Amino acid sequence: MPPDGFPMIANARMREAALLLLGCGICLGATLPLQKLAAAAGVQPASWVFVSTLGASILLTIGAVARGRAPSPRHRVYYLIAALVSFVIPNLIIYVVIPKIGAGLAGMMFALSPILTLTVASIVARRVPPLLGVVGIVVGLAGVLVIIAFRGDGAGSDTSLRWVLLALCIPVCLASGNVYRSHNWPAGADSLSLASAINIVAAALLLTAVFASGEGVQGLTGVLGVPGLIIAQIIATGANLAMFFRLQQVGGPVYLSQIGYAAAAVGLVAGTLILGETYAPATWAGAVVVVVGVALVTYAQARATPS
């Protein structure tokens, strides 16, 4: 029997959510060195994201059809809004602002997603969030800020108000997307079929971005020039999305939003083991703080979720 006062152990739903969060963090962390290697090879960003999204959506569609859960055209408005708010708009904004404000400050915007998700979810549900959950989110944010502070790249020099305000749209979109997908989840819909449909729509919209950005056919050809990297990226992205939507279903939008925290910590390990990067001790301390924050939120939600 699990010890009294520690319902997380007994709650199968939250155990699944915790494992899914870890899986998503591992998959996202694995994509970081792949993206870095692709960029070093001269691959253009919009083309890279489009091909990886398209490939992942094909894998997801095959999986959904094999399970007899092919995407339904009845939910096309849901697919379009979720794709735009959750994936396309944040990706396009990040491409615009990173050259202006740098990757460190841009990463900080992603770290704001859990706090904003908790706020939006509380407003939509018209309830005050549990104190322990708020503490866990803030602790996780503190850990991510430590990681960012000790990884500073100094890439950006233009931190004028307009670019910072535009960058702030990233966590707003992510938080809104997290809550929208949960609040409007089609009745009886399968998580894998939704992942498939939303990412097919996202891929179509990203293809438009590839040509609008001027990358065009040359950009797509560049992706094909690194077949090993893009295949690995597609597999990692597909696995992440399959778990991501299931995590949304069992954990809810606030718990889901911590993926950015988990990926930040996993990314440190991936960078060290795969790319030979080195980090200050304070950065590793930040990763430990992230783990503590995730554990607190898991515990808080387990207390609030029936066994």
Side-chain angles (χ1 to χ4, degrees):
M1 291 291 293
D4 292 339
F6 202 71
M8 179 179 66
I9 301 299
N11 193 314
R13 191 178 184 86
M14 289 312 299
R15 283 204 305 272
E16 181 184 3
L19 290 172
L20 288 168
L21 181 66
L22 176 61
C24 286
I26 290 172
C27 286
L28 279 176
T31 66
L32 298 179
L34 293 172
Q35 292 171 353
K36 185 170 183 178
L37 292 170
V43 177
Q44 297 298 308
S47 298
W48 175 263
V49 174
F50 161 69
V51 175
S52 61
T53 301
L54 176 63
S57 67
I58 291 173
L59 292 180
L60 292 169
T61 301
I62 292 172
V65 171
R67 292 176 54 183
R69 296 297 186 99
S72 169
R74 290 180 300 163
H75 310 307
R76 53 186 175 273
V77 174
Y78 177 85
Y79 302 152
L80 178 61
I81 295 175
L84 273 172
V85 177
S86 305
F87 301 106
V88 176
I89 294 176
N91 275 306
L92 294 179
I93 293 176
I94 199 71
Y95 294 150
V96 172
V97 301
I98 276 185
K100 301 295 182 180
I101 68 173
L105 185 53
M108 229 179 275
M109 301 303 168
F110 281 97
L112 293 173
S113 173
I115 293 289
L116 288 176
T117 300
L118 181 63
T119 302
V120 174
S122 299
I123 292 172
V124 170
R126 298 181 182 178
R127 68 173 180 231
V128 178
L131 178 60
L132 187 58
V134 175
V135 171
I137 292 288
V138 173
V139 168
L141 174 63
V144 171
L145 294 181
V146 169
I147 291 173
I148 292 171
F150 287 90
R151 289 185 64 191
D153 56 11
S157 56
D158 184 358
T159 55
S160 59
L161 182 60
R162 60 172 179 162
W163 295 117
V164 174
L165 290 176
L166 179 59
L168 283 170
C169 292
I170 296 169
V172 170
C173 284
L174 294 176
S176 300
N178 289 340
V179 176
Y180 173 81
R181 291 192 310 275
S182 281
H183 195 260
N184 297 278
W185 191 282
D190 177 70
S191 60
L192 191 59
S193 67
L194 290 183
S196 165
I198 289 172
N199 283 278
I200 287 173
V201 174
L205 295 171
L206 286 166
L207 179 61
T208 303
V210 168
F211 286 92
S213 67
E215 294 182 17
V217 175
Q218 184 176 0
L220 297 175
T221 303
V223 177
L224 299 179
V226 286
L229 293 179
I230 192 59
I231 290 172
Q233 177 79 4
I234 287 172
I235 293 172
T237 301
N240 172 61
L241 290 171
M243 291 185 287
F244 179 91
F245 279 82
R246 177 59 182 164
L247 177 57
Q248 173 108 50
Q249 195 173 29
V250 300
V254 176
Y255 195 84
L256 173 81
S257 69
Q258 294 181 103
I259 286 176
Y261 291 173
V266 173
L268 294 179
V269 178
T272 300
L273 298 180
I274 299 175
L275 299 176
E277 297 174 347
T278 57
Y279 302 101
T283 303
W284 290 107
V288 173
V289 172
V290 168
V291 173
V292 172
V294 170
L296 286 173
V297 178
T298 302
Y299 179 73
Q301 291 207 199
R303 291 178 61 183
T305 305
S307 305

